[in-house]
Amino acid sequence: MSELTIPHIHHRHVDVNGVRVFYRETGPADAPVLLLLHGFPSASHQYARLLDALGTRYRLIAPDYPGFGHSESPAPDAFPYRFDTLADVIEGFCLALGLDRFALYVFDFGAPVGLRLATRRPEWITGLVVQNGNAYEEGLSDQAREFIANRRGVPGAEEAARSILTLEITRSQYEGGTGDPSLVAPDGWTLDQHFLDLPGRKDIQVELALDYFSNVELYPAWQAWLRADQPPTLVLWGNGDPFFTEAGARAYLRDLPDAELHVFDTGHFALEEKLPEIAPLIDDFLARTQKQAQAQ
């Protein structure tokens, strides 16, 4: 009989600068680390199947940002919900857990949070997995540009940001662009909407939506870091993403000519439909980057 190995997934909290941050963790304590940063409007639960797939071989850690998932959600008048602040929390999270060498998985909101972290702490990063996480203006669809135009002081901006926090829109982010929607479990969008509908959570998302323009302003700085440091990079992209187009995936190759690029016929949440194809690519990438890191 073949041996079947399934990892245990731990569900924990840690205090980061007075904010109680929830995270999922699996894998051997001495294994290479992959820090998984989630997107909007989701949380660490979006990585649950990936933790099962790779958790016997690597140490995978997936936190929820403040105001998302199971993490504490201070009121906006007590905690400034900006992408800079989310990056502050993730930086503090890494310090609290003693994480100082890891590969970084960035998706959607995880890209502006993670790339801020990478430019602050480049010595921490052994590799980069980018999945539908934009850092180039050519990757922004017209729909994304309209969203980014919403900012504080623009008439109607708050109402426009609030209008996307509905079950219909949340579900469409999971199913839109997929080849076979039956492969997309309803649990993801159902849980996301549950969290969005908790008291105060939509106000938090509006605050972040009105700050999204700050990420685009930092694109040149992130691109400069990529060019200078040349981190080993795996780019994974669902080409049916209505926000971040395939052009944004290919743009990484301009600054990272040795990056590995894989484009899939699926949507924004590419892991939902294409995990069996994507997990082996991440496995191979982590194995190779670990050897490179040990050789340095």
Side-chain angles (χ1 to χ4, degrees), residues 33 42 82 104 108 114 120 158 179 184 217 230-231 269 296:
V33 176
S42 197
R82 306 289 188 271
L104 184 62
D108 189 69
R120 295 177 186 180
E158 180 176 339
V184 180
E217 291 178 347
Q230 292 293 305
F269 283 89
Q296 292 176 353

Side-chain angles (χ1 to χ4, degrees), residues 1 13 25 29 32 57 117 137 189 191 219 232 260 282 285:
M1 180 181 295
H13 288 86
E25 179 176 4
R57 297 167 59 81
L117 178 65
E137 288 208 34
W189 74 73
L191 188 54
Y219 281 2
E260 184 179 338
I282 299 173
F285 175 76

Side-chain angles (χ1 to χ4, degrees), residues 161-177:
R162 199 173 294 274
S163 71
I164 70 170
L165 305 177
T166 65
L167 178 60
E168 179 183 8
I169 299 298
T170 301
R171 179 173 180 171
S172 72
Q173 291 193 64
Y174 279 80
E175 293 186 323

Side-chain angles (χ1 to χ4, degrees), residues 94-201:
C94 292
L95 292 170
L97 268 63
L99 304 177
D100 58 8
R101 291 288 285 170
F102 51 83
L104 184 62
Y105 188 118
V106 297
F107 162 73
D108 189 69
F109 273 21
V113 174
L115 290 172
R116 277 175 169 83
L117 178 65
T119 53
R120 295 177 186 180
R121 302 278 190 166
E123 71 279 5
W124 286 1
I125 310 302
T126 61
L128 192 61
V129 180
V130 180
Q131 190 254 296
N132 292 74
N134 209 60
Y136 295 85
E137 288 208 34
E138 55 261 59
L140 298 172
S141 69
D142 290 342
Q143 185 175 350
R145 292 177 188 276
E146 290 177 7
F147 177 82
I148 292 165
N150 294 320
R151 59 190 70 185
R152 293 169 186 85
V154 173
E158 180 176 339
E159 292 77 9
R162 199 173 294 274
S163 71
I164 70 170
L165 305 177
T166 65
L167 178 60
E168 179 183 8
I169 299 298
T170 301
R171 179 173 180 171
S172 72
Q173 291 193 64
Y174 279 80
E175 293 186 323
T178 59
D180 183 355
S182 75
L183 292 173
V184 180
D187 311 276
W189 74 73
T190 303
L191 188 54
D192 286 351
Q193 196 62 42
H194 161 75
F195 286 127
L196 280 174
D197 290 340
L198 292 177
R201 290 289 185 102

